[in-house]
Amino acid sequence: MKILDFDSQVFLAPMAGITDKPMRKLVHSFGGGNIFSEMVAINALERKNPKTTRIADVRDEPYPVIVQLVGYDEAMFADSAKLAEDLGAHSIDINMGCPVKKIVNNNSGSYLSRNILQASKIITSVVKATSLNVSVKFRLGWDHDHINAVEFAQMCQDSGASFITVHGRTRSDFYSGLADWETIAKVKNSVKIPVVGNGDVVDAKSAKLMLEQTQVDAVMVGRAALGAPWIISQIDSYLKKGTEPQKITIEQIKKTLLTHIKELRDYYGDRTALALSRKYVCWYCKGLHNAKQFREQYVKTTDFDTAFDVIDDYFNFDGEIKQ
Ligand SMILES: Cc1cc2nc3c(=O)[nH]c(=O)nc-3n(C[C@H](O)[C@H](O)[C@H](O)COP(=O)(O)O)c2cc1C
């Protein structure tokens, strides 16, 4: 089943601190795939907090961005959805899956799996407030004694959601253990709206496997895109045309890392970009030869001139590849 006006069966997952404008631009530069923002806190957006408003502002991006909102109060959600619409969102996603304590303690994110009535009020309120499509992302349930994904999915549908994304873990799992694709299949079977499956899709083959095993309409990829922004378009091409993903050369990894750093500098300025670049360097060189020494050297750099020298010194080998 086609999802809204998207022409791809793969979604870049919303990831706080990761799927910012620099990352979205980079993922888009490789080709196909649908793109989520980071989660945006509705209380800060409603207060017009400048930093949060900037996170939600996708007006200058020439591809659709699904903007994800997180919070509790349905009236505040409605106001925030309107603000996000004005800031260029293609559609609105509601985060009902975040397991982080700070979010859950505010009765938000995955806590809403324990308060279906409030979850329904939120969706209804957002659907009413905006002309955009509204989707919901959630987990299987609070813990393994409280798996309620089928009931939750039906509630989303009845409340007016256009599609849903199910992450095959519970709140208590956080990110550990294998995602439960069987329950994702049950969810798919229980609703008429499109379903996106999420959890442990790491490459083109596992994307295809999830589609086959669960019959979901699309897949979502999170951690596998860290340090590998090309993966979304690789999966997209494989699903559309059967194109086997090309090996990525060391030179391409270096070039992508440098582009990522450039985008970070343009968007955040040097000081913040240098700090943020450290985590990306770690991800881009994961599994490569002498990566540990490279990381140790890179994290010690205090300016971009030195940082680029360290990158140049490191990426002077070939022959090693990763997909
Ligand atoms: C660093 C990080 C940040 C995340 N931030 C969000 C978020 O803002 N909103 C959300 O719905 N999920 C968030 N997630 C969860 C992912 O969207 C996804 O559901 C999860 O990583 C499972 O998919 P994967 O197995 O492909 O990684 C985050 C995950 C990671 C690793």
Side-chain angles (χ1 to χ4, degrees):
M1 199 188 302
K2 189 165 157 39
I3 301 186
L4 306 182
D5 51 348
F6 295 116
D7 74 345
S8 174
Q9 277 187 295
V10 56
F11 285 79
L12 170 69
M15 288 186 279
I18 312 287
T19 50
D20 53 9
K21 199 181 299 251
M23 175 74 168
R24 296 193 296 265
K25 272 176 90 171
L26 199 55
V27 167
H28 177 72
S29 72
F30 283 95
N34 316 316
I35 293 179
F36 268 79
S37 71
E38 311 173 71
M39 67 179 172
V40 179
I42 58 167
N43 52 353
L45 189 61
E46 209 199 24
R47 266 190 279 117
K48 304 238 164 58
N49 174 299
K51 207 172 146 200
T52 308
T53 304
R54 190 166 184 237
I55 292 175
D57 189 348
V58 299
R59 281 173 297 185
D60 65 348
E61 288 172 73
Y63 40 83
V65 181
I66 306 159
V67 173
Q68 189 188 62
L69 303 177
V70 66
Y72 174 80
D73 180 77
E74 70 271 19
M76 209 184 270
F77 252 112
D79 290 343
S80 299
K82 280 186 252 170
L83 290 170
E85 183 171 1
D86 290 345
L87 291 169
H90 163 275
S91 49
I92 304 288
D93 188 72
I94 305 177
N95 180 326
M96 296 195 176
C98 181
V100 173
K101 227 181 189 169
K102 203 174 91 185
I103 300 288
V104 166
N105 286 350
N106 283 325
N107 301 336
S108 307
S110 60
Y111 184 82
L112 287 162
S113 75
R114 301 173 68 168
N115 190 349
I116 289 209
L117 192 63
Q118 180 60 20
S120 172
K121 272 192 205 166
I122 292 170
I123 301 166
T124 313
S125 166
V126 175
V127 169
K128 213 168 126 198
T130 165
S131 62
L132 302 179
N133 285 295
V134 177
S135 56
V136 183
K137 180 167 178 278
F138 58 94
R139 290 180 173 234
L140 301 183
W142 183 253
D143 58 28
H144 287 266
D145 295 326
H146 299 90
I147 302 260
N148 62 352
V150 165
E151 185 193 350
F152 203 86
Q154 289 169 342
M155 175 280 294
C156 292
Q157 173 172 272
D158 295 344
S159 308
S162 302
F163 73 93
I164 51 176
T165 304
V166 195
H167 176 190
R169 291 188 177 82
T170 67
R171 190 269 171 173
S172 66
D173 295 330
F174 280 80
Y175 295 96
S176 67
L178 283 181
D180 169 3
W181 290 7
E182 256 176 59
T183 308
I184 295 179
K186 284 188 194 149
V187 168
K188 169 60 195 165
N189 227 343
S190 71
V191 289
K192 294 196 181 71
I193 53 175
V195 176
V196 180
N198 172 231
D200 298 343
V201 174
V202 293
D203 53 19
K205 293 268 151 61
S206 52
K208 186 127 199 266
L209 200 64
M210 181 187 258
L211 289 174
E212 284 166 1
Q213 284 188 3
T214 66
Q215 296 297 307
V216 286
D217 304 283
V219 298
M220 174 180 280
V221 179
R223 290 164 295 172
L226 303 176
W230 49 78
I231 199 173
I232 304 295
S233 82
Q234 283 186 336
I235 295 175
D236 181 62
S237 301
Y238 184 71
L239 295 178
K240 278 187 186 139
K241 300 175 270 185
T243 315
E244 289 288 337
Q246 292 224 320
K247 303 273 188 196
I248 301 291
T249 65
I250 297 298
E251 195 49 41
Q252 285 169 315
I253 295 174
K254 177 183 177 187
K255 191 169 160 234
T256 309
L257 170 62
L258 290 174
T259 308
H260 204 151
I261 291 176
K262 181 193 170 297
E263 296 293 350
L264 290 170
R265 291 179 85 179
D266 288 352
Y267 187 69
Y268 293 106
D270 276 11
R271 207 183 132 104
T272 306
L274 186 65
L276 291 175
S277 71
R278 294 185 183 130
K279 68 183 175 194
Y280 290 103
V281 160
C282 291
W283 287 321
Y284 278 100
C285 69
K286 201 171 149 202
L288 300 184
H289 117 111
N290 285 341
K292 189 163 174 266
Q293 290 91 320
F294 170 46
R295 276 183 208 131
E296 282 171 4
Q297 262 191 310
Y298 190 87
V299 297
K300 285 189 206 140
T301 60
T302 53
D303 62 84
F304 271 116
D305 285 343
T306 327
F308 290 138
D309 285 345
V310 170
I311 290 175
D312 270 341
D313 279 352
Y314 175 68
F315 283 99
N316 65 1
F317 60 103
D318 51 31
E320 280 204 65
I321 43 174
K322 73 174 182 179
Q323 265 181 304

